[in-house]
Amino acid sequence: MSDRIFGIVGLVLALGYAYAATQIEESFLSDAVGPKAFPLIIAAILGLASIAIILKPDASPDWPSVGRLVEVLAATVVLILYAELLPVTGFVIATALASAYLTWRLGSKPLATLITGIGTSLGIYVIFHLVLGLSLARGPLGI
Amino acid sequence: MDTLSSLADGFAIALTWQNILLALLGCFLGTIMGALPGLGPSNGVAILIPLAFTLGLGATPSLILLTSVYYGAMYGGRISSILLNIPGDEPAMMTCLDGHPMALKGMAGQALSLSGLASFVGSFFATWGLIFLAPQLVKIALLFGPAEYFALFALAFMTLGGVSSTNQAKSAFAAALGLGLAMIGVDTQTGVPRFTFGEVHLYDGIDFLVAIVGLFALSEVFIFLEHRHGSASTNRKVEIGRLSPPMSMIKQTTPTMLRSTVLGFIAGVLPGAGASLGSFISYSFEKRLVDPQSKTFGKGDPRGVAAPEAGNNAAAGGALVPMLALGVPGSGTTAVLLAVLLSLNITPGPLLFTQNPDVVWGLIAALFIANFMLLAMNIPMVGLFTRVLMVPPRILMPIVAMVSFVGIYGISGSSFDLLVMVGFGVMGWILRKFDVPLVPIILGTLLGNAMESNLRRAITIDNGNWFTLIDSPLAITLWVIAIIGFILPLIFGRKVKSQMSQRRDEEGSIKD
């Protein structure tokens, strides 16, 4: 069943892709093929593959329980927040928070969480910024 | 003799302090990444690419670093297979079968050193194979026009699912998805934006490094979160025992190693096979040859340890042949290495050998150097790497995630790319759940634009005649191989995969 839904999503994606391809504006200076043809071929393959998946689905994957699903979702939100906050708070603070969150969710105890978070952040800062000279995001504290 | 003098030049390039140091670092990191379950050659290399860039390394040094990681990971995978019965990466799957029983018999040290030796034999001879085969392939590739290149790209995609693929529809789906992503951005030939939806950030297209790191590295973090697999695979101290195999064991396994090297190398060169298949074929062939009644295989036969290790390392060298000579990789890790070359503005393929001989031969020389370093690291120092296995994922995975972010941010300095990367991470997780292979997606984003421009060039040269694509014998041959390669797994796929999948888990989507 999961595969059927996956195939339907794929089919919708293929149709949307084909529609978006037809909307590409052709420039008057075009070659014999033009910018639309190849995307349309891709959309066709995507669609055919999706139909094949709908017609001949594999066994359903082992879906995680709702709790684990929420876990993955929450991690996604944290990583999105991390991406957004990185330029605001600076590298060290944002990274310490994000890695503390991840290690906590993977089962670290409170004290270990704190140490791992700060350690990861400072470790990367020292190796990548101070030793290797990579430019990392700078926050209000200058780090 | 031409080849040997080029190789000598290569050694002159590779033997600088910086390059030797990079090779050493690469070998060390690679072995660790190979040994840790959850990090394999393709995601290991993926994480380090942005680094190589932001450090401002040139083409040859970056390649030396990253291929050393690649070779190192191939060596390292066996360590956790033997000690823990958990393959450190996908190609090391078959090593579990006899390696772990050997460890249980108290011969862990011998299994480790024997497999290290087998790895060395495999990759040493495969590197020689690379030296002699790649220039021959280049001679053929120089005859290719745009139509043949288009057919070659199609061949790469159609065979990428590999002999072990059960669901060709999903491979095709993944390839189309990757190609579709490559189309995003301004069309290089007419200058019109495509699929950008007015978002300025997308005009340049999606950076394939962002896609690779997201799909390979971040999705792994999600998998670990999903299973809350946070504790180390081992808490007990593993008894290593004596570290050198007796001469009789080496003598017994020498023919095995040589046979497996040949098989593995061939599997590596062929499109869509890669190292996992190389070790699988070597193991099954060896078993059928010397132990058809399975009296000793599966119970700790040293030949069952030597065969898959020689096989997968030989395949790793073999897989570099099509990547360097044709610019078309046949496996996950070589696809990632192709991304490195493309980002350095080097176009792999036949012209690479004439235009950048320093890169090619420097790389090949570095492979030899790396091989000797790995042999030295993997036999006497193997105890060090077994200790790495005790680092629990709850500490490791946050580091992997954060280093991925650092690398991508270091290249572009934009939050937008980080968000795209998170998107790819989630997508990778979902696709892995559905058993959709990730490698065709990467290959699609890498080769999409080249594939399209070859198509358009071929047809424009022939005044809009689409049949020009199947106009030359060479092109027709390529198409025939592509179609056979696509259909064959539909017939044999289930059988091979069910044999292989006894030991496979969700790593199946990132195979090499």
Side-chain angles (χ1 to χ4, degrees):
Chain A
M1 195 57 216
S2 295
D3 255 21
R4 293 231 151 99
I5 297 170
F6 180 78
I8 290 168
V9 173
L11 199 57
V12 172
L13 184 71
L15 291 174
Y17 196 80
Y19 174 74
T22 57
Q23 297 300 304
I24 297 169
E25 279 183 46
E26 298 242 14
S27 126
F28 56 93
L29 261 176
S30 186
D31 53 335
V33 181
K36 287 180 188 173
F38 194 61
L40 284 174
I41 297 174
I42 296 170
I45 297 171
L46 198 64
L48 287 176
S50 304
I51 292 171
I53 295 171
I54 296 172
L55 291 180
K56 218 169 154 233
D58 289 340
S60 282
D62 298 328
W63 286 109
S65 61
V66 181
R68 307 316 302 165
L69 218 54
V70 171
E71 189 73 67
V72 173
L73 215 68
T76 312
V77 172
V78 168
L79 291 180
I80 290 173
L81 281 178
Y82 174 70
E84 293 286 1
L85 287 179
L86 193 57
V88 182
T89 62
F91 176 81
V92 174
I93 297 173
T95 306
L97 291 176
S99 49
Y101 174 81
L102 289 176
T103 185
W104 172 52
R105 292 320 304 163
L106 283 166
S108 288
K109 306 244 157 45
L111 185 65
T113 297
L114 200 70
I115 296 171
T116 311
I118 295 173
T120 305
S121 172
L122 286 180
I124 293 179
Y125 184 79
V126 168
I127 296 176
F128 288 80
H129 184 71
L130 299 183
V131 179
L132 299 177
L134 218 71
S135 61
L136 302 172
R138 224 172 232 280
L141 302 177
I143 51 172
Chain B
M1 282 310 97
D2 217 20
T3 316
L4 290 183
S5 71
S6 310
L7 185 61
D9 292 342
F11 271 103
I13 295 162
L15 284 171
T16 64
W17 283 112
Q18 188 202 22
N19 288 342
I20 291 176
L21 223 64
L22 285 172
L24 197 64
L25 182 72
C27 291
F28 182 72
L29 288 176
T31 310
I32 291 182
M33 286 176 175
L36 287 165
L39 276 179
S42 32
N43 39 24
V45 176
I47 296 173
L48 290 180
I49 300 181
L51 252 186
F53 269 108
T54 30
L55 289 178
L57 294 179
T60 317
S62 325
L63 271 182
I64 289 176
L65 173 69
L66 296 169
T67 43
S68 305
V69 174
Y70 175 36
Y71 268 36
M74 289 290 167
Y75 272 77
R78 75 193 206 288
I79 298 176
S80 59
S81 296
I82 291 172
L83 295 179
L84 308 174
N85 205 18
I86 303 168
D89 50 23
E90 163 117 353
M93 216 160 53
M94 307 306 293
T95 314
C96 293
L97 298 180
D98 275 286
H100 192 60
M102 264 183 97
L104 292 181
K105 284 196 255 173
M107 292 154 74
Q110 293 175 26
L112 283 171
S113 53
L114 180 70
S115 54
L117 192 66
S119 298
F120 174 78
V121 171
S123 46
F124 182 75
F125 287 109
T127 311
W128 280 111
L130 166 70
I131 290 175
F132 290 109
L133 190 60
Q136 305 310 316
L137 210 55
V138 165
K139 279 182 201 149
I140 300 174
L142 285 171
L143 304 172
F144 283 18
E148 283 81 11
Y149 263 108
F150 182 73
L152 180 69
F153 287 139
L155 185 152
F157 284 112
M158 289 168 79
T159 53
L160 199 61
V163 194
S164 55
S165 151
T166 41
N167 199 333
Q168 288 292 66
K170 285 182 176 170
S171 303
F173 181 91
L177 197 63
L179 289 170
L181 288 166
M183 295 299 110
I184 295 174
V186 173
D187 174 27
T188 45
Q189 301 195 20
T190 58
V192 292
R194 299 191 285 184
F195 309 105
T196 54
F197 308 105
E199 173 68 65
V200 189
H201 287 109
L202 289 177
Y203 274 51
D204 278 344
I206 289 181
D207 189 338
F208 41 70
L209 293 179
V210 175
I212 289 175
V213 178
L215 283 176
F216 281 174
L218 272 192
S219 70
E220 193 71 43
V221 177
F222 285 125
I223 296 264
F224 272 85
L225 274 168
E226 177 201 337
H227 297 298
R228 200 175 204 171
H229 186 59
S231 32
S233 322
T234 174
N235 292 317
R236 62 203 153 95
K237 178 97 182 64
V238 200
E239 278 305 321
I240 306 274
R242 162 186 172 156
L243 254 181
S244 57
M247 264 332 268
S248 63
M249 194 189 271
I250 294 178
K251 226 178 229 161
Q252 184 197 13
T253 52
T254 306
T256 305
M257 288 183 202
L258 296 178
R259 279 194 291 267
S260 305
T261 301
V262 175
L263 279 176
F265 182 73
I266 295 171
V269 175
L270 291 179
S276 310
L277 203 75
S279 68
F280 172 73
I281 291 176
S282 307
Y283 184 85
S284 350
F285 177 80
E286 193 61 28
K287 186 175 165 191
R288 204 157 294 168
L289 188 75
V290 299
D291 184 28
Q293 272 100 39
S294 359
K295 283 197 198 102
T296 51
F297 267 57
K299 302 187 182 80
D301 190 313
R303 287 168 297 187
V305 177
E309 277 307 311
N312 80 36
N313 285 277
L320 288 172
V321 175
M323 198 276 276
L324 288 174
L326 303 175
V328 178
S331 72
T333 317
T334 45
V336 178
L337 289 172
L338 178 70
V340 183
L341 285 173
L342 291 177
S343 329
L344 290 162
N345 267 333
I346 291 174
T347 319
L351 295 179
L352 180 65
F353 281 75
T354 45
Q355 286 174 351
N356 301 81
D358 52 323
V359 174
V360 180
W361 293 105
L363 172 66
I364 290 174
L367 290 179
F368 278 116
I369 298 169
N371 240 322
F372 281 100
M373 286 179 179
L374 282 165
L375 184 68
M377 269 185 203
N378 272 279
I379 294 185
M381 286 164 65
V382 78
L384 185 73
F385 293 107
T386 56
R387 237 159 255 150
V388 173
L389 289 177
M390 288 194 258
V391 176
R394 63 169 182 273
I395 293 174
L396 185 71
M397 282 299 144
I399 298 177
V400 169
M402 292 303 129
V403 171
S404 310
F405 277 102
V406 168
I408 295 299
Y409 192 82
I411 296 178
S412 64
S414 93
S415 289
F416 181 79
D417 277 356
L418 298 185
L419 292 173
V420 174
M421 184 175 81
V422 176
F424 272 107
V426 176
M427 187 170 105
W429 178 70
I430 295 172
L431 292 175
R432 282 166 83 168
K433 290 257 87 161
F434 280 106
D435 213 13
V436 175
L438 299 180
V439 176
I441 303 180
I442 295 300
L443 206 59
T445 52
L446 284 174
L447 298 181
N449 291 312
M451 191 171 177
E452 189 195 15
S453 64
N454 275 303
L455 171 75
R456 287 162 78 167
R457 206 173 300 147
I459 291 170
T460 307
I461 292 170
D462 214 6
N463 295 319
N465 174 16
W466 283 73
F467 287 101
T468 187
L469 295 177
I470 45 170
D471 211 23
S472 75
L474 208 51
I476 294 172
T477 315
L478 290 169
W479 281 109
V480 169
I481 299 173
I483 291 167
I484 294 174
F486 188 75
I487 294 178
L488 218 55
L490 295 176
I491 306 168
F492 296 112
R494 267 171 217 283
K495 203 173 145 232
V496 178
K497 188 166 181 180
S498 67
Q499 286 175 7
M500 275 174 83
S501 67
Q502 294 160 351
R503 310 222 141 248
R504 129 194 336 245
D505 51 9
E506 272 152 344
E507 301 214 9
S509 302
I510 300 187
K511 67 163 161 215
D512 188 313

